[in-house]
Amino acid sequence: MNKISIIVPCFNEEEVLPAFYQETKKIVSAIEQTPYEFIFIDDGSKDHTLDILRLLSYQDGCCKYISFSRNFGKEAAMYAGLTEATGDYCVIMDADLQHPPALLPAMYQAVSAEGYDCCAGKRVGREGDGFLRSFLSKSFYHVIQKMTHLNMSDGAGDFRMMNRRMVNAILEMKEYNRYTKGIFSFVGFETKWVEFHNVERAAGKTKWNIKSLFSYAFDGILSFSTAPLKIPGVLGLILLLISAGLGVTTVFHPKTWLMVTAIMIFLGSLQMLMVFILGQYLSKDYLENKKRPIYIVREESDSVSSLSTGNITEFKKAVR
């Protein structure tokens, strides 16, 4: 009998977790003769997220959780969830209900009966994101597809259900600096896309600001493309031609020292930029060679069975 593992990364999600659990449990319970499990990953939350997960685990045997020793990031949380999952099919979902649980039956049908290895949600529209964020996101996906030659279109996110074969392939990629959207594309497999409309978070605040989105985009490019390493060569040729032209100009206009000084400063800034790019690649290789763990577990749901009635009562008070 096939089993579904629902993997939910959580970071300060106390306001929305109860609603997510109730809505998703209602949908997945309606899939006939299909056992399921929830695997929540507490990514170093500072609110009552862990208290809620302890309570859910105590009340519902289908709920498990892992709590990190600190915030390791969503990429590490997804990897941890896939590692701990025991299901034949694994689905990754955000806790904010922007990934509609109502799509789970159609996803399960695609991977269990239609021959697909993966069924992924593709977000249509960016209502509520704002013009700047929407423009930057679309531009990033356009650039990264050109640079990596991988299929990572705008709207294709982490929300997807995969069979065990695809999950095992993803787990074989153990790099520390993870960019899961790129990994999904890299491992391949037959994928069916289902569209859904963007909605506002059910509660709480988004954890993604412009700074974090830029950082995530930069990591994605560095993880799956060596194209930036070609930039110094192209710029070097262009600057060589410019310097040759300036050299000819100074023969006829010997008082162009100010222009030459400006060009020298410009060249210095370009050199610093190139050193920065090379440094980023070296830093990634540096972290990979350290073989550090992708995440560290501080607590997991197995410990809840030994909690006293008094502790459970305190948890219930904390999450009200």
Side-chain angles (χ1 to χ4, degrees):
M1 186 176 295
N2 295 327
K3 180 180 180 181
I4 300 174
S5 294
I6 303 167
I7 298 162
V8 191
C10 304
F11 179 63
N12 295 339
E13 299 288 4
E14 64 175 3
E15 295 181 44
V16 74
L17 263 177
F20 168 84
Y21 166 73
Q22 293 170 7
E23 179 67 18
T24 306
K25 182 179 176 65
K26 179 177 67 175
I27 297 296
V28 75
S29 297
I31 302 177
E32 294 183 4
Q33 298 181 339
T34 305
Y36 61 88
E37 65 178 356
F38 285 90
I39 301 179
F40 296 95
I41 300 90
D42 171 39
D43 188 20
S45 298
K46 300 300 182 183
D47 60 1
H48 289 296
T49 294
L50 181 55
D51 292 331
I52 295 173
L53 298 183
R54 287 168 175 159
L55 181 57
L56 290 177
S57 179
Y58 177 78
Q59 294 180 332
D60 187 347
C62 293
C63 292
K64 303 176 183 178
Y65 73 86
I66 302 170
S67 180
F68 289 170
S69 59
R70 63 170 176 82
N71 178 249
F72 281 88
K74 185 180 178 181
E75 297 293 326
M78 290 189 289
Y79 181 81
L82 291 173
T83 301
E84 296 296 322
T86 61
D88 303 283
Y89 303 103
C90 298
V91 57
I92 299 174
M93 302 182 68
D94 288 347
D96 55 16
L97 287 174
Q98 288 187 306
H99 293 164
L103 291 182
L104 291 178
M107 287 182 162
Y108 179 71
Q109 173 68 17
V111 295
S112 65
E114 296 179 13
Y116 291 96
D117 300 293
C118 173
C119 185
K122 187 172 185 179
R123 184 171 62 170
V124 178
R126 289 188 169 273
E127 295 80 1
D129 277 359
F131 172 78
L132 179 60
R133 180 167 175 170
S134 178
F135 172 76
L136 291 175
S137 180
K138 290 179 180 178
S139 299
F140 162 69
Y141 282 107
H142 178 74
V143 170
I144 197 169
Q145 284 198 97
K146 293 292 185 182
M147 296 178 71
T148 64
H149 306 291
L150 295 175
N151 182 20
M152 288 182 280
S153 58
D154 185 28
D158 307 315
F159 180 35
R160 59 188 64 210
M161 185 179 292
M162 302 164 283
N163 61 21
R164 175 51 59 178
R165 183 168 54 247
M166 183 171 175
V167 170
N168 289 341
I170 292 170
L171 293 177
E172 285 295 314
M173 303 182 68
K174 301 182 183 297
E175 60 258 41
Y176 179 82
N177 299 284
R178 303 184 68 79
Y179 182 69
T180 305
K181 289 185 178 70
I183 291 175
F184 288 145
S185 181
F186 178 83
V187 298
F189 293 97
E190 290 293 326
T191 299
K192 179 179 180 178
W193 296 94
V194 291
E195 295 183 345
F196 66 95
H197 289 277
N198 188 42
V199 296
E200 295 285 344
R201 287 177 57 94
K205 297 180 179 179
T206 180
K207 312 306 184 299
W208 292 92
N209 53 33
I210 296 297
K211 179 181 177 182
S212 60
L213 288 173
F214 264 112
S215 177
Y216 187 62
F218 198 64
D219 284 343
I221 292 173
L222 292 182
S223 296
F224 283 91
S225 175
T226 58
L229 291 175
K230 300 176 183 178
I231 295 176
V234 176
L235 288 179
L237 178 59
I238 295 173
L239 293 174
L240 179 62
L241 296 174
I242 292 174
S243 62
L246 289 174
V248 173
T249 302
T250 56
V251 174
F252 301 99
H253 302 282
K255 294 182 179 181
T256 56
W257 60 270
L258 185 60
M259 180 184 294
V260 174
T261 302
I263 294 297
M264 291 177 64
I265 295 173
F266 178 64
L267 293 178
S269 65
L270 287 177
Q271 288 178 332
M272 294 300 294
L273 177 61
M274 296 305 103
V275 169
F276 170 75
I277 293 175
L278 292 173
Q280 289 297 305
Y281 277 100
L282 289 173
S283 68
K284 299 293 182 183
D285 187 59
Y286 170 73
L287 290 173
E288 293 293 342
N289 288 331
K290 280 182 174 291
K291 303 296 182 184
R292 288 176 174 171
I294 298 172
Y295 61 93
I296 299 173
V297 176
R298 177 177 177 269
E299 179 184 325
E300 50 191 324
S301 51
D302 291 343
S303 62
V304 175
S305 59
S306 62
L307 291 174
S308 67
T309 303
N311 285 334
I312 293 298
T313 302
E314 291 300 316
F315 293 151
K316 290 181 178 179
K317 291 179 179 179
V319 300
R320 283 176 182 172

